[in-house]
Amino acid sequence: MPSSVIKHFSYQPGLKLLTITFVTGLVYQYVDVPERTFKLFKAATSKGRYFNYHIKEKFKFLKLED
């Protein structure tokens, strides 16, 4: 999963919770993310581009760590 902005991500389908760790060390949890959106994100050639267009301002989030 090479990405210049996203270090790691995980998804909890039962909770529809997408957790993304950025290369900066920031960790965010995005809520109510449909499994289809996660699967498309996971399959995307550019994770950063997909994130910016389909997740970033579309879902509520919680900032977990600095």
Side-chain angles (χ1 to χ4, degrees), residues 8 15 23 27 39 43 46 65:
H8 177 75
L15 299 174
V23 296
V27 180
K39 287 181 178 180
S46 172
E65 298 176 17

Side-chain angles (χ1 to χ4, degrees), residues 30-49:
Y30 293 85
V31 296
D32 293 326
V33 177
E35 190 166 356
R36 175 172 165 72
T37 300
F38 167 70
K39 287 181 178 180
L40 291 170
F41 173 62
K42 185 176 177 181
T45 304
S46 172
K47 304 289 187 274
R49 185 175 298 131

Side-chain angles (χ1 to χ4, degrees), residues 15-35:
L15 299 174
K16 295 185 179 181
L17 188 66
L18 174 62
T19 303
I20 299 178
T21 303
F22 293 89
V23 296
T24 61
L26 296 174
V27 180
Y28 289 85
Q29 285 187 326
Y30 293 85
V31 296
D32 293 326
V33 177
E35 190 166 356

